[in-house]
Amino acid sequence: MGVQQKKVAVHDLEVGMFVSDLDRPWHQTPFPIQGFHIRSQDDIRALVSHCKWVLVDVAEARESKEVKGGSKPAFGTLQGKRRGGREQLQLPPLSIREPVTYEAVTSLKKEMKTSKRLLDDMEGALDQLFETLRADGVPDLRPIAAITSKMVSSVVRQPDALLWLSRTRAHDSYLYRHALNTSVWALVCGRHLGLNEGLLNHLGLGCLLSQVGKTTLPAELLAREGQLSSEEYLTYRSYVGRGVRMLENSGLSRAVLSVVQGHRERHNGSGFPEGVRGDRIPLLAKVAGIAEFFESLIAPRSHAEPMTPAKAVTLLYEMRNIEFQEDLVENFIQAIGIYPTGSLVELTDGQRGIVVSHSPERRLWPRVMVMTDAASRPLKTAKIIDLARYNEGKEAPETVRVRDCLPHGTEGLDPSYYDVTGVESRWSLSRLISG
């Protein structure tokens, strides 16, 4: 028997009902886009403040008890088993409403030219924003919103170009680099999920603005991010609330603010600032949280040792249903690949290079720009090898695969030094990558 939807006035809602649709666009509310169970009277009061009626899935309705004293409800299902000493939280399968299927419609070479200009423009806009906020000025967010829209269009056309450039160009400001790269990772994941371009705009802008609260924290505290005392960490955690307060009267949509507010919340309730968990974290904030965490692993502040993307992917996978929702983790990994664009790699034949793009169908066989020969001697001209195409029809012993991911900054592996030949016509990276 299929699930049936029933239209219900919000004042007639009951605890246990599953809300599957609203009388207004989801992104105009703080509620999770994938729908949610009503767990308490607080949930009903929140719906009353935003909607007149909703649709509920009749077959999804179930008995539920409110938490005594009106405290945080237990969203999701505790599996009862633990991994790494932490209990897992299982939610119903993720369902994106009216997902959009995107096809790459332009070449990497062509899109990189557009992407380079976008990154230059965004760098200037973010620098201006952070300087204004540090001086307690009133920020003008229109330039950043306009560039975000262009970034979304670029990722929709060709998801690898913007990701490639954001990973390989040099940045002077950690705050800028972290916000920008987080936004690009999130957009690539959102594209894979099938979010429409309006939601991608909210997601990208929210990620870019998620770090603004840090402009009010002491520079010496930020410099030791990851090495803070308990007391210092309490101050550090306040950056989220500070950022929300700085932006709440700037005309941003509720969906954008929900990303700023919720990007440090965690699936099991261990995040901040509110410690909410499960389906009380908005979908866009969940995606932003995964992207921000991944970027902090592979590109931490200078005092910390960066993790290779492959190891970061492994760690992220181990945290599914603990700190991050399982199917979102899986979708993120599918979107960026086992060896994400911009990863330095060594092949089984000894050649070394950098991942240019990957195929969702053959995630272990990406396209690699090879920069050294088998003896680690630099090539005069780099070449792109599509491992999926190269290995087609070969027996396993004859295939060339990725042997290992290499640390960022490995000597002799700077793509800006090379012209490229191979799958596409000869072209130069130096002008495109240099900031």
Side-chain angles (χ1 to χ4, degrees):
M1 180 178 177
V3 175
Q4 297 180 348
Q5 289 186 315
K6 178 181 178 181
K7 184 175 179 180
V8 178
V10 290
H11 291 286
D12 295 328
L13 291 172
E14 298 177 1
V15 172
M17 290 181 171
F18 184 86
V19 178
S20 58
D21 210 349
L22 310 176
D23 62 359
R24 65 188 58 237
W26 287 84
H27 68 266
Q28 294 179 5
T29 75
F31 307 118
I33 296 170
Q34 67 269 32
F36 63 98
H37 281 95
I38 298 175
R39 312 284 180 160
S40 67
Q41 290 297 327
D42 285 340
D43 291 345
I44 295 176
R45 283 190 285 271
L47 282 163
V48 168
S49 67
H50 289 88
C51 306
K52 294 182 179 179
W53 56 265
V54 299
L55 293 180
V56 299
D57 287 356
V58 176
E60 288 283 350
R62 66 186 184 188
E63 294 183 4
S64 177
K65 297 180 180 179
E66 289 191 67
V67 178
K68 185 177 181 180
S71 58
K72 295 176 189 173
F75 298 108
T77 302
L78 288 173
Q79 293 292 82
K81 59 182 180 180
R82 294 175 179 268
R83 187 169 68 242
R86 293 178 292 180
E87 204 155 15
Q88 299 179 61
L89 177 65
Q90 179 72 52
L91 291 182
L94 182 69
S95 177
I96 303 298
R97 298 182 176 281
E98 301 179 358
V100 180
T101 301
Y102 297 104
E103 299 290 340
V105 297
T106 187
S107 69
L108 179 65
K109 173 186 174 182
K110 181 178 180 181
E111 193 60 38
M112 281 175 70
K113 294 180 180 179
T114 300
S115 298
K116 198 272 181 182
R117 291 192 295 270
L118 287 178
L119 293 182
D120 288 343
D121 292 343
M122 184 58 79
E123 181 173 5
L126 283 174
D127 281 346
Q128 181 61 50
L129 171 66
F130 291 152
E131 286 302 316
T132 300
L133 292 173
R134 288 189 183 100
D136 294 326
V138 178
D140 181 3
L141 300 178
R142 289 173 298 180
I144 289 181
I147 302 169
T148 300
S149 180
K150 294 178 181 179
M151 288 173 58
V152 168
S153 297
S154 176
V155 169
V156 165
R157 290 190 300 264
Q158 167 54 260
D160 290 307
L162 200 62
L163 183 56
W164 164 274
L165 289 174
S166 71
R167 289 280 291 127
T168 55
R169 65 193 262 134
H171 304 297
D172 293 330
S173 168
Y174 175 83
L175 207 57
Y176 158 72
R177 181 189 72 196
H178 189 76
L180 177 61
N181 288 0
T182 294
S183 180
V184 177
W185 289 122
L187 288 178
V188 170
C189 180
R191 179 189 190 273
H192 179 79
L193 286 169
L195 301 181
N196 63 48
E197 291 193 38
L199 292 174
L200 289 177
N201 270 283
H202 294 316
L203 175 60
L205 185 55
C207 289
L208 287 167
L209 298 176
S210 64
Q211 307 296 302
V212 298
K214 290 182 179 179
T215 62
T216 66
L217 297 180
E220 59 273 15
L221 184 145
L222 290 177
R224 292 184 292 102
E225 188 175 348
Q227 298 179 329
L228 303 175
S229 66
S230 298
E231 185 175 342
E232 289 172 328
Y233 187 62
L234 287 176
T235 301
Y236 172 80
R237 286 166 45 129
S238 70
Y239 88 83
V240 174
R242 293 169 185 244
V244 172
R245 289 190 293 274
M246 294 163 74
L247 298 170
E248 59 188 357
N249 294 319
S250 58
L252 291 171
S253 71
R254 186 182 296 272
V256 172
L257 287 174
S258 75
V259 174
V260 180
Q261 171 78 22
H263 74 281
R264 292 302 296 261
E265 300 290 359
R266 292 296 181 257
H267 186 63
N268 61 357
S270 63
F272 59 85
E274 300 295 332
V276 295
R277 64 174 183 162
D279 55 7
R280 296 312 296 151
I281 307 172
L283 176 62
L284 298 187
K286 290 182 181 184
V287 175
I290 292 175
E292 199 268 346
F293 176 76
F294 185 79
E295 174 63 18
S296 70
L297 294 178
I298 64 173
R301 289 191 180 271
S302 56
H303 61 73
E305 186 72 23
M307 193 176 285
T308 65
K311 289 182 179 178
V313 164
T314 300
L315 177 60
L316 191 59
Y317 187 72
E318 291 174 352
M319 299 176 76
R320 67 197 188 283
N321 276 346
I322 298 175
E323 292 202 24
F324 303 104
Q325 187 173 333
E326 180 175 26
D327 41 10
L328 277 179
V329 168
E330 293 175 349
N331 274 278
F332 183 82
I333 295 172
Q334 290 167 9
I336 69 171
I338 303 298
Y339 306 108
T341 298
S343 300
L344 298 178
V345 294
E346 181 175 280
L347 305 181
T348 50
D349 63 1
Q351 297 183 97
R352 291 181 167 190
I354 186 169
V355 174
V356 175
S357 63
H358 71 279
S359 166
E361 294 77 27
R362 306 303 299 268
R363 285 180 287 162
L364 295 177
W365 289 352
R367 293 171 74 222
V368 178
M369 188 182 91
V370 174
M371 293 178 279
T372 76
D373 62 17
S376 298
R377 292 186 296 258
L379 300 176
K380 291 183 178 180
T381 301
K383 59 182 179 179
I384 291 180
I385 300 177
D386 185 336
L387 293 181
R389 183 180 299 180
Y390 179 86
N391 292 327
E392 189 174 357
K394 289 184 171 63
E395 297 294 330
E398 301 174 329
T399 59
V400 175
R401 304 174 303 282
V402 174
R403 174 186 292 155
D404 197 10
C405 244
L406 302 173
H408 186 70
T410 297
E411 186 176 357
L413 297 181
D414 186 344
S416 65
Y417 290 158
Y418 291 92
D419 287 349
V420 183
T421 60
V423 177
E424 302 179 21
S425 59
R426 183 182 178 94
W427 45 287
S428 175
L429 284 169
S430 58
R431 295 179 182 176
L432 293 175
I433 295 176
S434 61

